[in-house]
Each structure stands twice: as C-alpha cells, then as structure tokens.
Amino acid sequence: QVQLVESGGGLVQPGGSLKLSCAASGSIFSIHDMDWYRQAPGNQRELVAGITSGGFTNYADSVKGRFTISRDNTKRTVYLQMNSLKPEDTAFYYCKVEAVLTSRAIVVSWGQGTQVTVSS
C-alpha cells in the first residue's frame, strides 16, 4: 500500500507564505496524479491544485497566481508553495496520490492532513 506523510502547515499572518510537503512511500511502482485538497469547517473538501506525472498543473481559481504545485519524482514528494496567504485560505490541507503498486494495482491514497491557519 501507500503511506503519505504531510508536513509544513502552521500559523501564518495574512500575506505570508507556507510550503506544504507530502511524501509517498510503500510498494510503489509509479505515481500518476498528485493533488492538494483543502477543507474548512462547514465546507466541502475542494481541489486546490493538481499535477500530473508529466508535470501538467491545474489550480482552483481562488489560488491561481498565489499557489504553486510541484513534485519531485525521485523523492516521491509533492509540494504546495503558498504565497500571499489570506484568512480564507485557512483549512485542513490534504494530499491525494494515485499510484501504481508493484502488484500493478492502482490505488488512491489520502494524507492525514495538515492545518493551515492564516490570521493576524
């Protein structure tokens, strides 16, 4: 199976920056899409950004120009650089990874989540 370990969340003032990381491990043959989602209290989980194995990216309109998703395939890690943070970015952030296992099974795994709080 796939284990995901997230890090990088915390408390930051409006206008500040944070960088989230999500490292995948396990019986992985290859990794396809890697995504970041977020969920604020009372809201549904929403896609923030995604990146394909080929490096193509997509972003929610609310974060375009402020957030950057990237990946390091050698480290099996996806990153989310968040700049110009706003209070409305406050949420639990989760990574999601679609991976092909050494058994050739395809699995979708979620990280445990990391809290991002933007407040003065």
Side-chain angles (χ1 to χ4, degrees):
Q1 298 301 318
V2 176
Q3 294 79 44
L4 300 176
V5 178
E6 301 177 17
S7 60
L11 173 65
V12 64
Q13 292 186 340
S17 298
L18 282 175
K19 186 173 184 177
L20 306 182
S21 300
C22 174
S25 63
S27 303
I28 299 171
F29 175 74
S30 64
I31 296 179
H32 293 169
D33 295 348
M34 305 180 86
D35 305 310
W36 285 99
Y37 283 74
R38 67 185 180 187
Q39 186 169 19
N43 291 355
Q44 289 187 334
R45 191 171 295 189
E46 63 174 355
L47 177 66
V48 176
I51 185 167
T52 69
S53 56
F56 291 100
T57 59
N58 64 286
Y59 296 92
D61 288 343
S62 59
V63 306
K64 282 181 181 177
R66 299 188 298 121
F67 290 11
T68 302
I69 189 171
S70 61
R71 62 192 283 172
D72 184 331
N73 291 324
T74 62
K75 296 181 179 179
R76 294 174 174 172
T77 299
V78 61
Y79 305 96
L80 186 67
Q81 177 67 49
M82 304 184 293
N83 299 329
S84 302
L85 283 160
K86 305 175 181 180
E88 50 263 43
D89 294 317
T90 295
F92 238 84
Y93 284 70
Y94 300 87
C95 65
K96 188 183 84 170
V97 169
E98 181 183 75
V100 180
L101 303 182
T102 52
S103 65
R104 297 303 188 267
I106 298 175
V107 297
V108 175
S109 301
W110 289 85
Q112 81 284 359
T114 185
Q115 177 69 44
V116 171
T117 302
V118 184
S119 175
S120 55

